[in-house]
Every structure is written in structure tokens, then in C-alpha cells.
Amino acid sequence: MTQRLTLPSWRSFALLGLLGVGALAACGTTQQPRCTPTTCWGCCDKDDVCRTGFDGLFCGTRGAACTACTSGFVCGAGVCRVAPSLDAGAGGGAAGGFDAGAAGGAPVEDAGPPRPPADAGTRCTDGCTGATPVCDSATNLCVGCTSNVHCFGQTPYCNATTKTCAACSPTQGCRAPTPHCDTRGAARCVACLVDTHCDPAAPLCDPGTRACVTCTVGRGCGGALPVCDVFTPGGRCVECLADSHCSEPTPFCDTLLRTCRADPVLRGSLVAAGGAFSCGVSDGGVKCWGANSSGQLGDGNLIMRSAAVDVASLPADAFDVSAGASHACARTAGSRGLRCWGSNSSGQLGDGTTTNRGLAADVPNLPDVVAMDVGQSHTCALTTQGGAKCWGLNTSGQLGDGSTTTRTTPVDVSGLGAGLIALSAGGSHSCALTAAGGVKCWGSNASGQLGDGSTSTRPAPVDVSGLVSGVVALAAGGNHSCALLSTGGVKCWGFNGSGQLGSGLISSSNVPVDVIGLVGAVSLTAGDSHTCALLMDGTMRCWGSGSSGQLGIGTISSSISPVAVTQLPSDVIAISAGGSHTCVRTATGSARCWGRNFDGQCGNGSTFPSSVTTPSVVQGF
């Protein structure tokens, strides 16, 4: 195929000057030499005078037949064009010979100033270009399309009436399994518009997605299974999605099994990577390793440990652990309470003081904790009484109580009632997951980590843009946040300087964006500048900063999209991303870590190498 070089008009004029052709004025009233093969690359008016721009003049009087072009030129669409005999690129005729020979000797345009695209109604003999590139043989006029073969992308169908490419129309353009055209906003093909378009297997038309479903919010369920689980594709009727759907004698909802039960669900994280230390749930309680300058290992002293040691003053029934910059907390099954240890400079241990603790101690007046998470210097929890409570540093509003006052005891997060499923505490912000599958966040927002479309700090919860349903898990990182969708995909938002959003870019976003190339995710974690997901097939993907080997790919390279962790056991059941390292817990009871290891946070028995780039077995665990 011949490629034509088309130059902007100012470059064309300059090139003509170099070729010895006189400078040409803009098309208007200024008269130039008569139209000849070497002096006119523009319009010729009715007096056969060259005009070099596009002010609506035609070759001849407006709308009249083309008669004004001189020998060697042909007139079409109001422009003088080089005749076929002068368009062979042999020189000696038209200046420069800009086209090196079009197939078949058909008339082609010279390389002069660009013309406006041909309008609908232009005759095919004048050439079909721009928005109307197809010749309709029935009318000999240029049109957008005459069949679907001419259309593609977002407008793949040819409207037989207007002969333009379109998404669909009420009368044509859609085929099974999406045979109906939804003309609300941008036209799209959907499975249904009303219930009568659906069959008995999925009898309801979801008004939002226009898909046939077994149930949708408020429709299709009753009796012993009164709640529609919209997280499941197509919907399914279940007993509960939150505690608010249950009552005595089974007041607690198992949000994974979707059933009501008598006792709170004892389910939590089995591994936690903190700032420069790590912890994990073992058969006899909780063990930690790494930095210990604030007592964050919980063994009663301040000695750094490169192998796992027991957290003292913690019962053997501890089953859920979370770690922040320099403090950690664990839930216990017997008391259903929360115990914390380590740094307390901002009251993050919740005991009413700012005294560091090298031994685990109860958070007073916090019974029946059903979920918790530890941020950089703050802590949050859900209780059976409903709502969320946070405590610790609050300079950015990360406690969500409507203020920026640091708190040494738990305070209620404003506006969050019963029915929350989970929460996640990040660097200086926090997020919560609602029973409907929506996400709310609060706190620091300088990088858009709250996802509300702004960069304004919010001391009380705000909705994350576009995430009103379909979310099953959250992960708040240093200055970014991520959500795991019921579809197995992941969306992230906030700071992206290291690619931690996984969008394939390094530009930050104050609204959720898709993590590219990631399917089948079942678990999610976010560190300071990297993010990881565990997939259904047992493999693990990480993305973002890899400067300390925290992506687990054998190098210290970063990645703006998910990459596979190498040398990973096949039985990983829990994952956690920390400051610059990552840890996992396996079904057989072992733990492995990788990444920055200056303080022994990888637990390999030493601080060497200082960057561990593939999973390493934690000693003493």
C-alpha cells in the first residue's frame, strides 16, 4: 500500500518556498496567480484564481459544476487535484511528485494543505474520505457504511437507514445472547429490557445490568432464603449477607457461607507483614520476627529477632493477627476480645495511655470483636454491637470520627451503622466494606486514596466512586487502596508512583481503576508501595515497587502490572504485604517471606541477604 506524506499547511508552505514556488496567501480575498500545475494547491474560485486555504469556496460558483481548474488538474470537492498523468512521482511536472504511484492510476490528491473530510452527499466520483469513506453503489454517494463489515470498535453495526456505524438501534444491530438494544445513554446490546425477555431459569431482568438473573435486590427471594446474594453472578437466594439479616437464636451471619449462626464467626488473618517486622498465627498462638525497638514482637524485650519468637501474654486460641508500622494486635477466640502490643506513641494500643508495651494487653471496653485491622499508627475494629471503632493517630482524620484529634481509646466512626462486613486500615486512611458490597473510606486523601474523585482529606466516611456493590474484600496500603470484586477482578485507586495500582501506568487516580490482566483473585493485600493477590489456582501475583525484592520475582525490579511470585508453595492460604516485604502462611503451618530484610523481617535466621527476592522459609515458626 502506498503511504502518503501529508504535512500541516504551514510546513507545506515552507516546503514550496524551498522548491522555488512563490509563497501563497491564505484562501480568502487575496488573489494569486492563475491555477497551474505548479502554483495552486488549494481552491480555484469562479474566476480561475488560486486560493490556498479552505473558506468554503468551490471550484466555480458555490454548488455549480467544477469548471475552473486548468490543464493538468482535476476539480473535486472544491479542490484542485493533480491529474493522474502528473501523479507518478517522476518529477519534471508538479513540484516534488509527492505520491509514488497509486494503484490503477486513479486520481489521487496531492500533498497540499489538508482538506475537510467529505460530507455525506458527496458523489463517489469525487472520492470518499473522512467520516463517509464508503461509496453507496445504489445512490453513487459517499456514506459511513453499507454493511457491518465497514464498522468496528464501539460502533460495530451499520444502521441500514442512516448508513452510519452505530452500537445498535431498537430495530437492528443486536444478536443472541444479547439480542435487545438498550438505548439509555450510549446504546448497547443487552440480554433483556423487561422480565418477559427472560426464561424460567433466570426469570428476572436486572434493571441495572439488563441481565437475566435468578434474583436481584428486593426481588425474587423469600421464605428460608430471603436475601439475594448479588455478589454471585446471576444472583442466588441466601439466608444472610450481614448480621442485620439474622435474629435470635442465630444472630450472627457467616459472610462467607451466607448462613446465620449462634456464635460470631472466628475467621481472620493468619499472617501479618508490618513496617519492618512480621507475625503469624501458629498452632500455639502468635509468633513474630524482625525489628523490635518498640516491643512490636511482643516477647517482653527490645531485641531484634531474625527468627520467629512467641508473643507472650497471648493465649493459644489467638487466631487473627494484624501488624502496623511498629505495633500489632490479635483476636482471641475465648474472650472474643482484642489484645495489642508494641509502639503506643499515638495511643494505637487503645489502652488509654501512650506507653509502649512489650507484652500483649487487652483493649479495654471492646468486647465481641468480629473483625479488626492495624494501620500505620492507628487501629480499627468491628464489634457485634454494629458499626466501626478506631483509635490512635488522627492527624488526617483516619479514625473517622469527624475530627483530627488523636484518641487513646476506641471512638465510633461517624455514620457507619450495623451491617459492615470488613474493614482495612492503611497508612493514614481507613476503609470499610458494607453488607451491600459497597466501599466507604476516610482520612488522608492527598493521593486520591479515598477514591471519591477528589484529593480532599475526609475525617468522616465517604463513598468510593463506582463501588456501591460487588466488592467482597478490601486492602488499604500506604497511600493507595484496593478492592476485590465478586468477579475475581481487582480495582485500585490512590498513589501510583511505583505502579501499585496495577493499571499498566504510573499515574495516580482518585477513582478506582482496573488492575490489568488479573483474573480469579480470591485474596488481596496492600503494602506501603506494592500490592498482591492470591488466585484461585493457588498462584500469587504482585505489582508495584520491587526495589527490595518484595514482588518475589527473583529481582529488585518494579512492575506496573501483576507478575507471578516464583518458588511459591502450592498450599498458600493467607498473604500479607508490609512496608517493603511480603509474607504468606501455608496450609501445612509454615510461613515464608521475601523483600527487605535489614531488620530480619523475612525471618530467614539472619539479616543477610538484605533483600530477599524469592520466598524464604521463616525459621522457628
Side-chain angles (χ1 to χ4, degrees):
M1 177 182 292
T2 301
Q3 277 193 318
R4 181 188 304 278
L5 174 64
T6 302
L7 300 172
S9 58
W10 70 270
R11 292 185 184 274
S12 300
F13 297 158
L15 182 57
L16 286 173
L18 291 174
L19 294 172
V21 180
L24 303 177
C27 194
T29 58
T30 304
Q31 293 188 349
Q32 299 296 321
R34 295 285 178 180
C35 294
T36 70
T38 58
T39 58
C40 186
W41 277 12
C43 310
C44 287
D45 69 8
K46 64 184 179 64
D47 296 321
D48 202 24
V49 173
C50 178
R51 301 184 186 275
T52 57
F54 296 99
D55 61 356
L57 292 176
F58 284 77
C59 300
T61 57
R62 184 178 296 275
C66 297
T67 59
C69 286
T70 60
S71 175
F73 273 58
V74 293
C75 187
V79 178
C80 274
R81 305 181 180 194
V82 180
S85 61
L86 295 178
D87 197 37
F98 281 89
D99 193 277
V108 291
E109 236 175 292
D110 73 347
R115 300 189 314 281
D119 295 322
T122 299
R123 290 197 158 286
C124 298
T125 52
D126 296 331
C128 295
T129 59
T132 56
V134 180
C135 180
D136 182 1
S137 59
T139 62
N140 198 36
L141 294 177
C142 296
V143 295
C145 62
T146 57
S147 70
N148 290 345
V149 92
H150 299 136
C151 303
F152 52 88
Q154 298 299 311
T155 54
Y157 303 110
C158 184
N159 187 305
T161 302
T162 63
K163 295 190 176 178
T164 58
C165 294
C168 64
S169 73
T171 58
Q172 70 92 31
C174 292
R175 298 180 292 273
T178 54
H180 304 284
C181 185
D182 182 3
T183 56
R184 303 173 306 165
R188 59 175 181 152
C189 294
V190 295
C192 63
L193 297 173
V194 293
D195 290 348
T196 54
H197 292 153
C198 300
D199 59 42
L204 301 178
C205 184
D206 188 304
T209 63
R210 298 298 199 194
C212 291
V213 296
T214 56
C215 65
T216 185
V217 178
R219 299 177 64 208
C221 295
L225 302 175
V227 180
C228 183
D229 181 3
V230 294
F231 302 140
T232 301
R236 62 169 177 161
C237 294
V238 297
E239 195 172 358
C240 65
L241 289 175
D243 290 347
S244 58
H245 296 143
C246 301
S247 58
E248 293 291 351
T250 54
F252 304 110
C253 182
D254 185 326
T255 56
L256 287 184
L257 300 179
R258 308 298 206 233
T259 58
C260 294
R261 51 184 290 166
D263 297 319
V265 180
L266 300 180
R267 184 180 293 118
S269 176
L270 298 177
V271 67
F277 74 110
S278 312
C279 298
V281 177
S282 68
D283 291 338
V286 174
K287 293 176 179 285
C288 296
W289 55 96
N292 198 24
S293 58
S294 299
Q296 58 262 52
L297 300 190
D299 64 345
N301 61 57
L302 304 179
I303 301 172
M304 182 270 289
R305 307 285 189 177
S306 60
V309 294
D310 289 321
V311 176
S313 302
L314 197 63
D317 64 353
F319 65 95
D320 179 14
V321 65
S322 182
S326 300
H327 78 293
C329 296
R331 280 200 291 157
T332 58
S335 66
R336 299 177 184 173
L338 189 65
R339 291 194 174 192
C340 299
W341 61 94
S343 175
N344 196 30
S345 58
S346 299
Q348 57 263 51
L349 301 188
D351 62 356
T353 76
T354 55
T355 303
N356 293 352
R357 296 192 180 277
L359 298 174
D362 287 326
V363 178
N365 303 315
L366 196 70
D368 295 333
V369 176
V370 295
M372 63 92 185
D373 198 35
V374 172
Q376 181 175 345
S377 297
H378 71 292
T379 311
C380 294
L382 301 180
T383 71
T384 56
Q385 298 170 357
K389 294 179 180 289
C390 296
W391 57 96
L393 189 66
N394 196 31
T395 53
S396 297
Q398 56 263 53
L399 303 189
D401 66 342
S403 78
T404 55
T405 302
T406 293
R407 311 285 187 175
T408 60
T409 57
V411 292
D412 289 325
V413 178
S414 300
L416 293 184
L420 298 178
I421 293 177
L423 50 72
S424 185
S428 297
H429 71 292
S430 311
C431 296
L433 176 62
T434 70
V439 183
K440 294 177 179 289
C441 295
W442 58 94
S444 177
N445 197 28
S447 299
Q449 57 263 50
L450 303 188
D452 67 342
S454 79
T455 54
S456 300
T457 293
R458 309 288 190 180
V462 292
D463 291 323
V464 175
S465 178
L467 293 184
V468 296
S469 65
V471 176
V472 295
L474 298 176
N479 292 297
H480 73 293
S481 311
C482 295
L484 173 61
L485 309 182
S486 59
T487 59
V490 173
K491 289 181 179 286
C492 296
W493 58 96
F495 187 64
N496 196 33
S498 299
Q500 54 263 56
L501 301 190
S503 61
L505 306 169
I506 56 172
S507 54
S508 299
S509 177
N510 57 21
V511 295
V513 295
D514 289 320
V515 175
I516 62 174
L518 190 69
V519 294
V522 295
S523 183
L524 186 66
T525 181
D528 186 35
S529 299
H530 73 295
T531 315
C532 297
L534 182 65
L535 305 189
M536 188 177 298
D537 61 6
T539 62
M540 185 174 174
R541 302 286 190 276
C542 294
W543 56 95
S545 175
S547 59
S548 296
Q550 59 264 52
L551 301 189
I553 58 177
T555 72
I556 55 172
S557 300
S558 299
S559 178
I560 57 178
S561 61
V563 289
V565 177
T566 62
Q567 302 178 32
L568 192 71
S570 60
D571 63 339
V572 170
I573 57 174
I575 63 175
S576 182
S580 296
H581 71 294
T582 311
C583 294
V584 300
R585 168 76 148 74
T586 70
T588 54
S590 67
R592 285 169 169 78
C593 296
W594 59 93
R596 185 179 175 90
N597 194 38
F598 280 101
D599 296 289
Q601 57 263 57
C602 288
N604 65 354
S606 74
T607 57
F608 180 85
S610 57
S611 291
V612 179
T613 61
T614 56
S616 176
V617 175
V618 175
Q619 303 297 313
F621 188 81

